Amino acid sequence: MRLLHTSDWHLGRAFHRVNMLGAQAEFIGHLVTTVREHAVDAVVVSGDVYDRAVPPLAAVELFDDALHRLADLGVPTVMISGNHDSARRLGVGAGLIRRAGIHLRTDPAAAGTPVVLSDAHGDVAFYGLPYLEPALVKDEFAVDKAGHEAVLGAAMDRVRADLATRARGTRSVVLAHAFVTGGRASDSERDITVGGVAAVPAGVFDGVDYVALGHLHGCQTITERVRYSGSPLAYSFSETDHRKTMWLIDLAADGSVTAERLDCPVPRPLARVKGKLEDLLADPALARHTDAWVEATLTDPVRPADPMARLTERFPHTLSLVFAPERAPDDPGVSYARRLAGRSDQQVAQDFVAHVRGAGPDDRELDVLREAFDAVRADDAVREVAR
């Protein structure tokens, strides 16, 4: 069976205030063409279809168009909700849409109930594990500790239990939206840390033939059977070096996997340039970035006059300007933002405790901080679901 694995469309998202709807529509057209030209048997979409729980109307219309075009191909599509989606909204009408061959899996309780498709070699069971927010699903999965590994492990226990009841030789595919150990993150993914831990081990998914992951925006291989497709478009300058692709997966009769990367359309290349303003304006080697979306980091010791206006004369599509003068890290002039770069909310809170008290938090206080941040995250998740 030939599968096309994609995820993280983030319909409705902008790129530094640039409307990406046209590029997203181009991707949908490319997806439909790829399904047809490569004789794909099933499409799997591993979450974050939308960029937010209540997407703009134009994004909903594009999603509707995508569903109609996929249904017209007569090729089944299995799709799960991600941490950016409202699972309840995305799942509205799922029973009716299923008649057109579009299978929306947004209910955690149905983790062990597969979509079963068949080819000349028998059945393939597709298990959709929507994004599992631990605070919201711990009771459903009867886990004592609300963490990603616990709830995903319990969901996979249901998958393996169902698979054990099926005919010998039944192949299996799991769609999941999670941060798996070994994956490389970028700046455009929403933090899903719970209890100080964001990642789950790949071993959670043992026992199935292929795991189609979503959440991380870079296409990557965790193991030969566990892969991220990545987002089809770049959504931050941290993705400048990404090659945006989908996975074309051939699932053989014995469950073995052959994978090929298929490139997605690039609306405009990305470039990061760094240096003093006059050097950036004069360096002939940077001429290749004239048509790119540019993030410029200025290292001048004093902020130059009209930097954005001058940069856009040479790089018309400059979208981001960062001021980072070359100073020692302990220089009091180093910006607050630079001092916090790469630090989590909890680490910032721990630093604050150390600053005002002269010593960092002890183990008991660390637990209190973790519980507080987890409670805020859980409350945010509940509010988003209720919107």
Side-chain angles (χ1 to χ4, degrees):
M1 184 172 286
R2 173 164 284 185
L3 316 176
L4 187 64
H5 168 199
T6 177
S7 72
D8 295 273
W9 296 356
H10 288 278
L11 301 181
R13 187 166 186 159
F15 180 76
H16 288 270
R17 301 177 303 282
V18 174
N19 189 320
M20 295 293 283
L21 203 65
Q24 291 170 339
E26 184 180 0
F27 162 70
I28 295 299
H30 171 73
L31 171 73
V32 171
T33 299
T34 300
V35 170
R36 184 172 57 248
E37 292 184 350
H38 287 268
V40 169
D41 297 307
V43 177
V44 294
V45 186
S46 300
D48 281 354
V49 175
Y50 291 123
D51 189 55
R52 55 183 186 267
V54 185
L57 179 59
V60 177
E61 290 173 339
L62 180 55
F63 179 60
D64 181 65
D65 178 64
L67 294 185
H68 278 85
R69 295 173 73 178
L70 287 168
D72 287 344
L73 291 174
V75 175
T77 298
V78 185
M79 185 177 296
I80 62 172
S81 50
N83 62 300
H84 280 250
D85 299 309
S86 166
R88 291 173 64 184
R89 282 186 173 84
L90 188 64
V92 168
L96 186 62
I97 294 171
R98 184 173 63 242
R99 299 179 187 179
I102 308 291
H103 304 272
L104 300 175
R105 314 300 279 189
T106 63
D107 182 4
T113 304
V115 175
V116 180
L117 305 177
S118 300
D119 64 7
H121 304 291
D123 289 345
V124 180
F126 291 78
Y127 297 90
L129 310 187
Y131 172 67
L132 302 176
E133 174 59 49
L136 301 184
V137 302
K138 63 183 180 68
D139 292 338
E140 167 62 34
F141 291 106
V143 296
D144 295 330
K145 187 175 180 181
H148 290 293
E149 184 174 354
V151 296
L152 264 174
M156 281 302 302
D157 286 343
R158 293 188 185 183
V159 168
R160 286 184 283 263
D162 179 84
L163 194 56
T165 69
R166 298 194 174 269
R168 183 176 180 147
T170 298
R171 290 156 290 164
S172 53
V173 175
V174 166
L175 290 74
H177 197 88
F179 190 163
V180 175
T181 303
R184 298 180 303 279
S186 60
D187 293 342
S188 51
E189 298 115 5
R190 183 182 295 170
D191 181 31
I192 60 170
T193 301
V194 174
V197 178
V200 299
V204 164
F205 300 104
D206 285 351
V208 296
D209 294 310
Y210 183 69
V211 181
L213 292 174
H215 180 58
L216 299 185
H217 288 186
C219 181
Q220 47 202 295
T221 300
I222 305 300
T223 73
E224 287 304 305
R225 296 183 181 275
V226 181
R227 299 171 186 263
Y228 283 100
S229 68
S231 61
L233 297 166
Y235 291 113
S236 74
F237 278 102
S238 66
E239 300 171 52
T240 298
D241 296 329
H242 286 190
R243 176 187 163 199
K244 295 300 184 182
T245 58
M246 299 178 286
W247 284 113
L248 186 68
I249 302 295
D250 284 314
L251 191 61
D254 63 356
S256 59
V257 171
T258 304
E260 178 186 357
R261 290 178 70 179
L262 302 180
D263 291 296
C264 296
V266 179
R268 192 179 295 278
L270 307 185
R272 278 177 151 171
V273 298
K274 183 176 182 179
K276 295 180 179 178
L277 178 59
E278 296 301 332
D279 294 338
L280 298 182
L281 297 177
D283 187 350
L286 300 180
R288 68 186 188 278
H289 300 317
T290 300
D291 293 326
W293 280 320
V294 171
E295 178 182 75
T297 299
L298 302 184
T299 60
D300 303 73
V302 177
R303 189 183 297 268
D306 299 321
M308 182 62 90
R310 296 170 68 189
L311 280 166
T312 53
E313 287 182 5
R314 185 176 191 196
F315 308 108
H317 306 288
T318 302
L319 299 181
S320 175
L321 180 60
V322 180
F323 187 61
E326 294 176 342
R327 294 171 177 160
D330 57 353
D331 189 313
V334 173
S335 73
Y336 181 70
R338 286 182 64 192
R339 294 199 300 273
L340 297 186
R343 302 188 70 74
S344 68
D345 289 343
Q346 180 158 334
Q347 288 171 324
V348 173
Q350 291 170 205
D351 290 347
F352 176 76
V353 172
H355 173 72
V356 299
R357 194 171 64 185
D362 59 28
D363 290 344
R364 182 184 63 81
E365 292 167 332
L366 286 173
D367 288 340
V368 170
L369 284 173
R370 272 194 294 269
E371 290 171 3
F373 281 111
D374 288 350
V376 170
R377 284 192 67 263
D379 184 63
D380 286 346
V382 170
R383 289 174 184 270
E384 189 157 288
V385 168
R387 286 175 65 188

